[in-house]
Amino acid sequence: MPITNQQIVGHAFLRQMYDDSYFPDHVVDRGKAVLLRLCERIEAERPSNLESLYALTQAATEEFNLLDSEFVAAGSEIETVAREWICDEFCFVASAYEFTEAEAEELTAGRDW
């Protein structure tokens, strides 16, 4: 399902990670794909409240938990700055879908990174 939200379509996800050579592009690509799948699920399932949104973001957070081992295998890791960048992306997604009251910590609750 193609994403229709124009804020999402025009957004450069994880740009800071692509700009930093510490993070291998092929692994960052997988992180970007996680975020885009999250957007597709939001558009398909149309969560009506924060609880429903948080269920979707938790699934995406779990995908990032698994992705962390790929960063490590590539000589990198999801460290402090990357955590902030990824959390910022989750906040951007929530805002783009008009969940402006979403809490950053709740969006990525359950993260191991």
Side-chain angles (χ1 to χ4, degrees):
M1 169 180 178
I3 294 171
T4 61
N5 182 305
Q6 292 306 301
Q7 289 180 66
I8 299 297
V9 171
H11 185 68
F13 282 102
L14 303 175
R15 180 187 48 79
Q16 300 98 323
M17 292 180 80
Y18 282 113
D19 290 346
D20 188 330
S21 62
Y22 178 68
F23 304 104
D25 285 354
H26 72 280
V27 185
V28 178
D29 289 344
R30 301 217 32 217
K32 178 181 174 180
V34 169
L35 293 164
L36 291 172
R37 278 194 302 279
L38 170 62
C39 295
E40 289 170 351
R41 288 192 66 195
I42 291 171
E43 290 193 14
E45 297 179 27
R46 304 211 183 272
S48 60
N49 55 42
L50 282 176
E51 184 177 314
S52 300
L53 175 68
Y54 292 151
L56 297 177
T57 62
Q58 180 57 42
T61 298
E62 290 172 10
E63 288 187 66
F64 268 101
N65 287 345
L66 297 173
L67 193 58
D68 189 38
S69 63
E70 292 186 40
F71 276 105
V72 171
S76 181
E77 68 177 310
I78 299 177
E79 39 74 59
T80 305
V81 174
R83 277 185 216 113
E84 291 177 20
W85 291 335
I86 295 166
C87 287
D88 287 348
E89 296 292 16
F90 275 84
C91 291
F92 171 78
V93 168
S95 179
Y97 289 102
E98 300 182 9
F99 287 97
T100 55
E101 66 282 7
E103 295 181 26
E105 290 298 314
E106 289 297 319
L107 289 168
T108 57
R111 71 180 181 267
D112 292 339
W113 30 275

